Amino acid sequence: MERLIEDIYRSQSRRVLATLIRLLGNFDRAEEALHDAFAAAARTWPRDGVPANPFGWLVSAGRFRAIDHIRRRSRFDMSAKDIEESLYGSFDETEIGNVDLIEDDMLRLIFTCCHPVIPADAQMAMALREICGLTTEEIAHAFLVPAPTVAQRIVRAKNKIRTAKIPYEVPEREELPERLDRVLHVIYLVFNEGYSASSGEEVVRADLTSEAIRLTRLLARLLPHPDVSGLLALLLLQDSRRAARRSSQGGLTLLADQDRGLWDREKIREGLERLDGALRNGEVGIYTLQAAIAAEHARAETPERTDWRRIVGFYDLLLSAQRSPIAELNRAVAVAMVEGAERGLQLVDAILQAGELESYHLAHSARADFLRQLGQKAEAIAAYETALRLCQQAPEQTFLRERISELTAAAERQ
């Protein structure tokens, strides 16, 4: 039963939270109600059984516990009574079975977090925390900033929502475009955390990749736009490789070593179709360019048939549209596939010297791999050890240790 409740928490908690925010009108109150609801489930479900509609049970339980907290914490003056009556009056039991309304709650939440009066960095941090339940540490990893900085941004965003009385709603159609870039970036970061988890025992967090794809589909229905199609294409093409990215023992499998027969051909088909639509319908955005890169991998029947020159060209376009140190790192890897490891090493060294990716383990891992290819074993071992020290994901740590062991053994044989 404990495992079942944990599974329901992972799959349903953010939707429960979104609905509780709408019903309670307050982020902090809704978060407290969410935890109270799951605590109640842990007490009663082992005895009474799992309800037929766990989502509805959790929303109802959280809401009524919020009312109980108001009663206990407040003097029963007019303001407390008004709050309590508003909570009772705003609830319709049929809502918890209305799938469309539940989905709308998620969109309301993401657009509220991305309101233009909230500072951009605080928007992102809060959206990732509240919409997808990423930890402060995971968000810090996504932004390459210290965790306390992320915590301060989230507090700042909540205070702004409260003081500015930002409504919890999907904005009118004419207001959607000004928030679209931020919303897309939030979904993109959610997917990235799921596609390559920053910490923990799993290579992939399928709950996050699936949620990101689901939210993008909802957004595509709400606001058909080439950038939305480009993002959906990118997510589908990347997620198509999910089953091949981990070995039977749960370890990390690099792209070149993946069994392409495990790639999800239906996602590839839809991803390529969405990409074609995005390319035909307006200015090509950054997600469409990234989708075009992913498409080159998807189309290649073998690693050797990958068109790396074309991929480098797409990275050049991407960096001309929006500079990104991580995109520069990925471009360096692509360039190395065309011009050799020595050129790749030169590019990665320049990126690391700039300082922005000094704490990013994949930059040091890429450098180590180039050094390994060039036969510089001692330097490669040192770079892998730096990557290992910075890495927090268990399968990646195992992979890095294996590389270090292989190089150490090879050096001892010489």
Side-chain angles (χ1 to χ4, degrees), residues 108-129:
R108 287 189 187 98
L109 181 52
I110 195 169
F111 276 104
T112 300
C113 290
C114 294
H115 195 283
V117 304
I118 302 173
D121 56 358
Q123 286 181 20
M124 299 295 182
M126 184 177 183
L128 292 171
R129 181 73 186 93

Side-chain angles (χ1 to χ4, degrees), residues 21-90:
I21 291 172
R22 173 169 57 82
L23 294 174
L24 303 178
N26 180 283
F27 275 81
D28 293 332
R29 191 183 297 151
E31 287 178 343
E32 186 176 23
L34 173 72
H35 294 304
D36 285 346
F38 274 95
R43 290 192 303 270
T44 61
W45 289 4
R47 182 191 66 224
D48 301 336
V50 178
N53 181 359
F55 173 88
W57 191 98
L58 290 163
V59 169
S60 295
R63 180 173 173 277
F64 286 119
R65 278 163 178 75
I67 294 170
D68 288 341
H69 282 304
I70 291 172
R71 286 172 170 168
R72 289 199 301 270
R73 294 176 183 175
S74 304
R75 290 176 303 169
F76 199 74
D77 56 17
M78 183 58 70
S79 61
K81 188 173 186 297
D82 288 343
I83 292 172
E84 181 182 351
E85 287 179 350
S86 72
L87 295 182
Y88 275 116
S90 65

Side-chain angles (χ1 to χ4, degrees), residues 167-205:
Y168 178 63
E169 63 186 13
V170 176
E172 296 299 322
R173 181 165 293 276
E174 61 270 17
E175 298 176 292
L176 289 173
E178 69 174 330
R179 298 196 213 177
L180 182 61
D181 286 347
R182 298 276 167 74
V183 170
L184 292 177
H185 191 49
V186 166
I187 296 173
Y188 174 74
L189 291 176
V190 170
F191 180 86
N192 282 350
E193 177 59 31
Y195 184 73
S196 183
S198 60
S199 61
E201 300 298 320
E202 299 294 331
V203 174
V204 175
R205 289 185 57 182

Side-chain angles (χ1 to χ4, degrees), residues 98-382:
N98 186 331
V99 175
D100 290 337
L101 188 57
I102 293 166
E103 304 290 19
D104 284 347
D105 282 337
M106 291 300 295
L107 285 177
R108 287 189 187 98
L109 181 52
I110 195 169
F111 276 104
T112 300
C113 290
C114 294
H115 195 283
V117 304
I118 302 173
D121 56 358
Q123 286 181 20
M124 299 295 182
M126 184 177 183
L128 292 171
R129 181 73 186 93
E130 304 301 330
I131 296 165
C132 297
L134 300 191
T135 66
T136 302
E137 291 73 20
E138 289 167 343
I139 300 167
H141 180 269
F143 285 111
L144 304 177
V145 297
T149 300
V150 171
Q152 291 169 3
R153 290 175 182 176
I154 293 171
V155 170
R156 201 161 66 238
K158 287 183 177 180
N159 288 340
K160 189 65 176 180
I161 288 173
R162 183 170 56 253
T163 58
K165 298 181 179 179
I166 294 172
Y168 178 63
E169 63 186 13
V170 176
E172 296 299 322
R173 181 165 293 276
E174 61 270 17
E175 298 176 292
L176 289 173
E178 69 174 330
R179 298 196 213 177
L180 182 61
D181 286 347
R182 298 276 167 74
V183 170
L184 292 177
H185 191 49
V186 166
I187 296 173
Y188 174 74
L189 291 176
V190 170
F191 180 86
N192 282 350
E193 177 59 31
Y195 184 73
S196 183
S198 60
S199 61
E201 300 298 320
E202 299 294 331
V203 174
V204 175
R205 289 185 57 182
D207 58 323
L208 294 183
T209 59
S210 298
E211 181 68 2
I213 291 170
R214 188 185 67 81
L215 286 172
T216 311
R217 289 191 190 281
L218 284 174
L219 193 57
R221 292 201 296 270
L222 177 71
L223 184 65
H225 190 282
D227 286 345
V228 181
S229 296
L231 179 60
L232 184 53
L234 171 62
L235 304 193
L236 289 167
L237 291 169
Q238 294 284 71
D239 200 52
S240 70
R241 303 198 292 265
R242 184 201 308 170
R245 295 189 65 240
R246 54 180 298 174
S247 67
S248 56
Q249 292 79 35
L252 175 67
T253 303
L254 299 181
L255 177 61
D257 301 323
Q258 289 175 15
D259 178 357
R260 300 190 176 211
L262 296 176
W263 289 4
D264 188 325
R265 293 295 157 185
E266 176 55 30
K267 285 183 179 175
I268 290 174
R269 183 204 62 75
E270 184 185 355
L272 294 175
E273 184 178 284
R274 297 274 185 174
L275 174 59
D276 288 342
L279 291 170
R280 287 196 306 269
N281 293 308
E283 184 178 342
V284 176
I286 59 172
Y287 302 113
T288 302
L289 287 170
Q290 291 179 73
I293 293 168
E296 291 301 318
H297 294 296
R299 293 188 181 105
E301 296 177 2
T302 65
E304 294 74 23
R305 299 186 68 174
T306 304
D307 190 340
W308 287 103
R309 290 187 184 279
R310 188 171 172 82
I311 288 174
V312 171
F314 283 130
Y315 274 121
D316 289 340
L317 290 172
L318 179 62
L319 287 166
S320 68
Q322 183 181 85
R323 185 190 167 275
S324 160
I326 293 178
E328 289 177 354
L329 176 64
N330 292 335
R331 179 187 179 276
V333 174
V335 168
M337 298 300 293
V338 177
E339 301 181 23
E342 186 171 353
R343 178 57 178 152
L345 180 61
Q346 292 172 353
L347 293 172
V348 170
D349 280 344
I351 292 168
L352 286 170
Q353 286 170 11
E356 291 173 279
L357 296 186
E358 185 58 36
S359 62
Y360 187 54
H361 74 281
L362 292 179
H364 295 279
S365 180
R367 181 174 187 273
D369 197 52
F370 293 142
L371 289 164
R372 179 181 63 85
Q373 293 176 47
L374 293 168
Q376 301 178 37
K377 295 183 180 63
E379 294 88 343
I381 290 171

